[in-house]
Amino acid sequence: MFSKLLSATTVVLATTQLVAAQTSTACDPTKKTCPDDPALGTTVTVDFTKGKSDLFTAADGTTVTYDGNGAVFTINKAADAPTITSNKYIFFGKVELVVEAAPGAGIVTSFVLQSDDLDEIDWEWIGSDTTQVQSDYFGKGDTSTYDRGGYHSVSNPQSNYYTYTLDWTKDYVRWYINGQQVRELLYADAKGGTRFPQTPMQIKLGTWCGGGPDSPEGTAEWAGGRTDFSQAPFIAHYKTLTITDYSNGVKNAEKYHWPSGSDGSYSSIDVITGDGSSSSASSSASATSSAKSSATSGSSSATKTSETKSTLSTSTVSATSSASATSGSESSASSTATASGNNDSASASSSGSAAAANTSAPATTTSGALKTGFSVSALAAGLMVAFML
């Protein structure tokens, strides 16, 4: 029994390490008073082929060059992690990115929306995976479940430009490749909306190395293996970016204000307009309730069918094989450590997802986060598993 206890606990602790990490935030408005978020409030197109955009700020240590292919993000060594972050926020919106991902085992290219309280929506590319791109989402930095991420078929994203789109409203998130929807997340599907991304977000673009000599084994495995720097440089080209801020349905938005006591729900956040007036989403509470009810009733079938809408189909695997794939998928952690959260801390770990643990049906393949450390709850889970053996 004791050997079973050790074995089971080890497995649970290892799994916990894959999903415990979260991205960083400079100020979480649900925990303290933070500055208002400056609103984009309109639609803009950023053409990186014409050079640097004032809409973005480079992370410390970042060097980005520009040419006819757009913004050039270069990895020459393991410590390189070029990252830029928008200095404006969108409060629901649509973002379209034309990008050619960086090649190379262990090299990750990322396109992330992230909020102050760690809501997040992602696209991620593994440099050695020439057939797929990964999608993901997080609510409030929660990495406690295994059912968030997915793989979507796309041919040679490291040598072809594709348009990757995130369409984000209070009711759904939709992922598109070249205009074809490959995934949909409904509000009710994210733990009844409690983990649905719904707070003002910045846009973060970045490329980083998950296969460096000091990267954890699991991170390197998820990122496609150890990076051979004799093949450097590894380059991603971010070409153009079109951003539309829905401003939660309010015109002339200038700021997004989190009142004291905000629980991180979209209805608790005020939109401050150009004339100084404030419009709160809570005024549409009845419409919100109706939307939630509709999302709940249709969520299961919609989610299952949306991933097969195009020939760029979502790859699925069984829960067992997903769990195996996830043993190396923890690097969405570092991903948003650099590509997502690098603006706050170069060493920050990112949110990631792990493989779906639903044993009754196939589950979408997922990516995951990495964080070492001991978990009392994990130990308890280990005890439970052991006594069930």
Side-chain angles (χ1 to χ4, degrees), residues 18-19 136 222 326 329-333 350-354 366-370:
L18 299 182
V19 299
D136 218 337
W222 172 80
T326 306
S329 77
E330 52 281 33
S331 160
S332 199
S350 163
S351 316
S353 63
T366 61
S367 62
L370 173 68

Side-chain angles (χ1 to χ4, degrees), residues 110 171 323 329 334:
S110 295
D171 300 316
S329 77
S334 302

Side-chain angles (χ1 to χ4, degrees), residues 298-317:
S299 63
S300 178
S301 60
T303 301
K304 291 178 181 178
T305 58
S306 66
E307 295 186 354
T308 59
K309 286 186 177 180
S310 83
T311 54
L312 299 167
S313 59
T314 301
S315 301
T316 58
V317 295

Side-chain angles (χ1 to χ4, degrees), residues 84 106-107 144 154 176 191 224 231 263 268 330 343-344 357:
I84 60 174
I107 303 300
S144 62
V154 61
Y176 296 82
K191 291 189 176 181
Q231 302 299 312
D263 60 358
S268 70
E330 52 281 33
N343 209 31
D344 300 320

Side-chain angles (χ1 to χ4, degrees), residues 5-347:
L5 169 64
L6 288 177
S7 177
T9 303
T10 298
V11 169
V12 174
L13 286 174
T15 303
T16 302
Q17 290 175 359
L18 299 182
V19 299
Q22 299 176 4
T23 50
S24 65
T25 176
C27 188
D28 185 341
T30 64
K31 297 177 180 178
K32 61 182 179 180
T33 301
C34 300
D36 290 342
D37 296 329
L40 180 64
T42 186
T43 296
V44 299
T45 295
V46 177
D47 185 350
F48 289 119
T49 68
K50 295 181 179 179
K52 181 180 178 180
S53 168
D54 291 338
L55 180 61
F56 285 86
T57 301
D60 291 343
T62 287
T63 298
V64 175
T65 60
Y66 300 86
D67 61 20
N69 292 315
V72 183
F73 285 57
T74 304
I75 303 291
N76 282 304
K77 57 186 183 298
D80 291 341
T83 305
I84 60 174
T85 302
S86 66
N87 48 49
K88 302 281 188 175
Y89 287 68
I90 63 173
F91 191 6
F92 304 118
K94 187 174 186 178
V95 186
E96 299 175 289
L97 173 69
V98 179
V99 62
E100 179 184 76
I107 303 300
V108 183
T109 304
S110 295
F111 162 28
V112 174
L113 306 185
Q114 187 185 55
S115 76
D116 294 339
D117 70 341
L118 302 180
D119 285 346
E120 186 175 319
I121 307 170
D122 304 343
W123 280 114
E124 290 180 304
W125 299 261
I126 303 301
S128 56
D129 188 344
T130 61
T131 64
Q132 301 174 116
V133 58
Q134 298 183 28
S135 64
D136 218 337
Y137 77 91
F138 303 91
K140 315 306 176 222
D142 184 358
T143 59
S144 62
T145 59
Y146 307 102
D147 55 356
R148 293 179 306 276
Y151 286 136
H152 312 282
S153 296
V154 61
S155 179
N156 295 311
Q158 299 83 2
S159 56
N160 292 293
Y161 288 93
Y162 292 93
T163 301
Y164 301 88
T165 302
L166 296 172
D167 188 13
W168 169 48
T169 74
K170 64 183 178 61
D171 300 316
Y172 60 77
V173 180
R174 292 172 180 162
W175 289 257
Y176 296 82
I177 301 175
N178 280 359
Q180 299 184 61
Q181 183 179 320
V182 296
R183 181 178 182 183
E184 180 180 60
L185 169 72
L186 297 179
Y187 181 96
D189 292 332
K191 291 189 176 181
T194 63
R195 293 298 178 264
F196 183 82
Q198 59 193 279
T199 50
M201 297 208 198
Q202 294 172 286
I203 296 93
K204 302 190 176 189
L205 307 176
T207 305
W208 61 283
C209 177
D214 297 326
S215 297
E217 187 60 38
T219 301
E221 184 180 344
W222 172 80
R226 296 293 172 181
T227 303
D228 178 3
F229 286 101
S230 71
Q231 302 299 312
F234 306 104
I235 297 173
H237 291 103
Y238 293 84
K239 193 171 187 178
T240 61
L241 185 69
T242 300
I243 310 166
T244 299
D245 185 1
Y246 294 160
S247 304
N248 201 18
V250 178
K251 294 182 178 179
N252 302 316
E254 285 201 351
K255 298 178 181 179
Y256 301 125
H257 173 69
W258 300 62
S260 177
S262 171
D263 60 358
S265 62
Y266 70 84
S267 59
S268 70
I269 298 172
D270 298 325
V271 180
I272 309 300
T273 61
D275 60 5
S277 63
S278 173
S279 177
S280 174
S282 59
S283 62
S284 60
S286 60
T288 300
S289 175
S290 175
K292 291 181 181 178
S293 175
S294 174
T296 302
S297 63
S299 63
S300 178
S301 60
T303 301
K304 291 178 181 178
T305 58
S306 66
E307 295 186 354
T308 59
K309 286 186 177 180
S310 83
T311 54
L312 299 167
S313 59
T314 301
S315 301
T316 58
V317 295
S318 67
T320 301
S321 61
S322 290
S324 174
T326 306
S327 67
S329 77
E330 52 281 33
S331 160
S332 199
S334 302
S335 144
T336 321
T338 54
S340 240
N342 215 24
N343 209 31
D344 300 320
S345 169
S347 62

